[in-house]
Amino acid sequence: MSDLQSFLRDHCLTVLNLPEKGRSLFTSRDFLPGEVILRQEPYVSVPNNNSSESRCDGCFKTNGLKKCSGCQVVWYCGSSCQKSEWKLHRHECKALCRLEKEKRMLVTPTIRLMVKLYLKRNLQYEK
């Protein structure tokens, strides 16, 4: 946590808890439009796929997608995204494959996100 605090301080940022708003990020300098303030890989992510448009689970691209051959729920744009997501998806894939095919198609992005959070947390505790 001290690494985060020193990073924030070095970039003129601070985190405060406001009773009416909760935890908030504040700056002590002006930022230019489009300037990156923070860059962080997400802990887990799930694209908000719907029937009209699907996105790659790794990079969120929309073209040249193929479904996971196991669960038939998750989409990838290529082998690099599939490989980068495999450590976590293999566990999600097993769980999805236990569902009947009709029920698998009803799994929402919110449910997938909760499953991925649970699986990632468990993988961290196993280390």
Side-chain angles (χ1 to χ4, degrees):
M1 191 66 159
S2 64
D3 289 341
L4 175 61
Q5 290 170 343
S6 63
F7 172 85
L8 292 173
R9 189 173 41 255
D10 293 345
H11 290 82
C12 302
L13 300 168
T14 186
V15 176
L16 298 174
N17 283 311
L18 301 178
E20 66 278 0
K21 296 197 183 243
R23 191 168 44 175
S24 305
L25 184 66
F26 289 88
T27 179
S28 59
R29 74 170 181 92
D30 290 334
F31 287 90
L32 298 173
E35 186 177 351
V36 175
I37 298 172
L38 295 173
R39 183 179 309 235
Q40 179 69 38
E41 287 292 318
Y43 185 69
V44 294
S45 63
V46 174
N48 193 14
N49 289 335
N50 56 45
S51 57
S52 64
E53 183 177 59
S54 297
R55 293 187 176 274
C56 173
D57 238 50
C59 67
F60 288 30
K61 287 182 181 174
T62 57
N63 51 345
L65 303 178
K66 294 182 182 177
K67 278 187 180 181
C68 169
S69 60
C71 65
Q72 297 288 307
V73 173
V74 177
W75 295 85
Y76 294 107
C77 66
S79 59
S80 61
C81 281
Q82 189 176 15
K83 286 177 186 174
S84 70
E85 297 290 314
W86 181 244
K87 185 176 182 181
L88 186 58
H89 179 63
R90 69 182 182 140
H91 299 287
E92 179 190 21
C93 193
K94 286 179 190 176
L96 289 168
C97 286
R98 288 187 207 126
L99 296 173
E100 296 171 11
K101 193 171 185 176
E102 298 81 37
K103 290 184 180 179
R104 234 183 280 167
M105 298 305 133
L106 300 175
V107 174
T108 65
T110 304
I111 292 171
R112 285 197 55 226
L113 187 62
M114 297 302 293
V115 168
K116 286 178 88 168
L117 285 167
Y118 174 79
L119 292 170
K120 182 136 186 188
R121 191 100 191 242
N122 281 351
L123 288 172
Q124 286 178 326
Y125 284 132
E126 288 177 4
K127 288 182 180 178

